[in-house]
Amino acid sequence: MFSLGVMILLIHVSFAAVIVGLYEGKKGDYRQGRARQPESVRSFKAFYIYLHIATPIIVVMSCLGYDRLALYSHPAVMMIGTTISALGVAIFVGAKMRIGEEFAPCNDAYLPRDVIRDGVYKHVRHPIYAAFILFFLGIAITTANPITLLNWLVLGAYYVRSARFEEKALLEKFPVYEKYSKSTGRFIPRIVQSKND
């Protein structure tokens, strides 16, 4: 019989497999026929590699009960964190399926051919960033490890900065982006619409 920790570990492994499969499994060259974004967060690539090494180790240690840095260990809190991670995975899958070949990693940003304004993008301008923020928040809650909390904060800062660069470039290339940005939230759906809409 599996313990709760092993079950949560297996769930997070499956989440990671879905994300990596969609994130890395792009067909063709996403750069082809697209203009490079003038500014992007190139240093993100090193942090991204670090996350791929540190996070699985911490998740395994936490779920199997070997994490000495964990601030707490409670099954209900672990399940809440896992649920938040699941929400992040679901948002990522929906966004990635909609954006398709227009996807480009934030550290090697290329402008899309058009502004996508339907699907999950109807509500949020950067759903893939929001998905990863939720996913790693869930991991931070599940593991209760200060390192994963710090990783989540740094990841959030990278995504805020990257979103600002992207939005500046999109405003210059697509005049319609200004109206779109007033009707949608950056990472969280906008509840109250702008008076100009």
Side-chain angles (χ1 to χ4, degrees):
M1 184 171 159
F2 285 120
S3 72
L4 178 63
V6 172
M7 183 178 77
I8 289 174
L9 175 61
L10 292 174
I11 291 169
H12 278 279
V13 167
S14 65
F15 291 166
V18 168
I19 289 172
V20 169
L22 285 173
Y23 192 84
E24 302 294 338
K26 51 190 171 276
K27 295 178 181 173
D29 185 4
Y30 62 87
R31 298 173 186 101
Q32 191 172 3
R34 294 170 61 188
R36 183 181 256 299
Q37 183 176 303
E39 294 179 271
S40 64
V41 187
R42 301 211 196 297
S43 62
F44 181 76
K45 189 169 187 171
F47 183 69
Y48 181 74
I49 291 168
Y50 158 77
L51 278 179
H52 274 72
I53 295 168
T55 303
I57 292 170
I58 293 169
V59 169
V60 168
M61 289 173 55
S62 293
C63 290
L64 297 180
Y66 297 113
D67 187 357
R68 301 273 186 240
L69 294 176
L71 302 173
Y72 55 81
S73 179
H74 192 279
V77 176
M78 291 176 80
M79 291 305 296
I80 290 168
T82 301
T83 302
I84 292 170
S85 287
L87 177 60
V89 172
I91 293 169
F92 174 77
V93 169
K96 182 65 171 75
M97 299 295 280
R98 176 55 194 97
I99 199 169
E101 292 180 7
E102 294 293 329
F103 174 77
C106 70
N107 63 293
D108 192 22
Y110 281 77
L111 294 172
R113 292 171 190 88
D114 196 8
V115 177
I116 297 172
R117 294 173 282 180
D118 59 352
V120 71
Y121 289 87
K122 182 178 180 178
H123 307 286
V124 179
R125 297 189 304 275
H126 301 280
I128 291 178
Y129 294 169
F132 279 115
I133 289 168
L134 278 174
F135 180 72
F136 281 96
L137 173 62
I139 287 175
I141 291 169
T142 299
T143 63
N145 185 300
I147 295 170
T148 58
L149 179 60
L150 180 62
N151 290 347
W152 174 71
L153 292 171
V154 172
L155 181 74
Y158 266 113
Y159 282 148
V160 166
R161 187 167 181 219
S162 182
R164 286 182 180 152
F165 288 151
E166 284 179 28
E167 290 180 356
K168 181 180 174 188
L170 289 167
L171 279 167
E172 289 174 10
K173 183 173 181 180
F174 302 106
V176 70
Y177 193 81
E178 184 175 6
K179 183 178 180 185
Y180 169 66
S181 67
K182 288 179 180 176
S183 66
T184 56
R186 181 175 281 159
F187 302 119
I188 300 170
R190 186 170 285 178
I191 305 299
V192 179
Q193 297 296 319
S194 172
K195 291 182 181 181
N196 298 332
D197 293 344

